[in-house]
Amino acid sequence: VRWSPPPPGFLTDDTFNYLIYREKNPVTPKIKTVLDTIHGNLMLDLTPFTILIKPSKILVMIFGRKESYMNFTKHPSWSGASSDLRSDTMYVIEGHDFYALSVHELTHLYFDGYFLPTISPLWLSEGMAVYMQIHSTKQKPGWLDRSMRRIVKGDIIPLEEMTVTEDLSSLSTPQAELWYTQAYSLMDYLLNKRTRDEF
């Protein structure tokens, strides 16, 4: 992939696995170390599920403000990060969720890339990304517990509807949280209640 030069106001650096554009501030050694650590962990964690074919390099665009992220990506307000499989690019907002969101989006780029040229179902892609996010950080995001309480009370998206969903951009925040929780729950079941061969 040949990427466009960084937009105005972005500074750049790279590692063996990543080209990094960071809004407003220089790319620090800590950011590079965090991304390389995520890369190493994902290579170990995802290999049992796929014959991993990783991109040669990934562009990581780090935004300093939610507004600039939303203006650039055109994603809904509940989105804090995203990825583009066609261009091997991850977009993420800086902040306390940087590590977890980066694991989530890089899982898309590594896991979904295995299925190309076929695009994996959205529930499988997002379910695996949330699963890896939780597995790597050892903590569940607050929205997951909120949605699990809703599910226990019977507030669910029917499986037939959830598994054919192809676009989440029109969902409200509570709807999106419920959808992601159900995708994660389905993936958790497939990975932990079944053998890896069955998966």
Side-chain angles (χ1 to χ4, degrees):
V1 174
R2 292 194 180 276
W3 295 288
S4 302
F10 281 75
L11 302 170
T12 71
D13 206 337
D14 69 339
T15 72
F16 182 75
N17 300 298
Y18 303 105
L19 173 60
I20 306 165
Y21 297 171
R22 185 182 186 199
E23 186 178 28
K24 196 175 177 182
N25 296 306
V27 176
T28 63
K30 182 178 179 181
I31 289 173
K32 296 194 311 188
T33 300
V34 165
L35 289 171
D36 282 337
T37 299
I38 292 171
H39 169 83
N41 290 340
L42 285 177
M43 293 301 103
L44 291 173
D45 292 338
L46 290 175
T47 299
F49 307 121
T50 63
I51 301 167
L52 201 60
I53 302 166
K54 74 176 193 68
S56 57
K57 210 163 204 171
I58 289 173
L59 171 61
V60 175
M61 290 190 68
I62 304 172
F63 293 85
R65 299 177 306 111
K66 187 172 187 73
E67 296 76 25
S68 56
Y69 166 81
M70 289 173 58
N71 287 338
F72 190 89
T73 64
K74 308 299 184 214
H75 287 297
S77 60
W78 50 261
S79 173
S82 55
S83 53
D84 183 347
L85 195 57
R86 290 165 303 183
S87 65
D88 293 331
T89 302
M90 175 180 85
Y91 310 95
V92 62
I93 303 170
E94 280 195 65
H96 70 282
D97 287 338
F98 177 79
Y99 186 90
L101 292 173
S102 295
V103 170
H104 183 108
E105 296 306 327
L106 289 171
T107 297
H108 286 311
L109 293 171
Y110 294 135
F111 181 72
D112 296 359
Y114 170 72
F115 297 98
L116 290 175
T118 302
I119 302 298
S120 57
L122 190 61
W123 69 265
L124 176 64
S125 174
E126 293 298 350
M128 180 61 93
V130 174
Y131 182 87
M132 294 307 299
Q133 174 184 340
I134 291 168
H135 175 72
S136 68
T137 60
K138 307 294 187 231
Q139 54 185 234
K140 294 181 180 176
W143 56 262
L144 190 84
D145 286 334
R146 271 195 311 274
S147 293
M148 286 300 248
R149 287 192 293 273
R150 289 174 58 194
I151 290 169
V152 168
K153 292 177 182 176
D155 185 8
I156 62 165
I157 302 167
L159 191 63
E160 299 81 10
E161 181 183 326
M162 192 212 78
T163 56
V164 298
T165 300
E166 295 180 3
D167 183 12
L168 305 175
S169 60
S170 64
L171 299 183
S172 67
T173 299
Q175 289 172 316
E177 289 176 351
L178 185 62
W179 189 93
Y180 274 93
T181 300
Q182 287 186 219
Y184 160 75
S185 181
L186 184 53
M187 185 58 60
D188 185 50
Y189 170 77
L190 291 173
L191 293 175
N192 294 306
K193 304 296 184 192
R194 300 290 185 194
T195 67
R196 295 294 164 86
D197 287 344
E198 285 179 299
F199 173 81

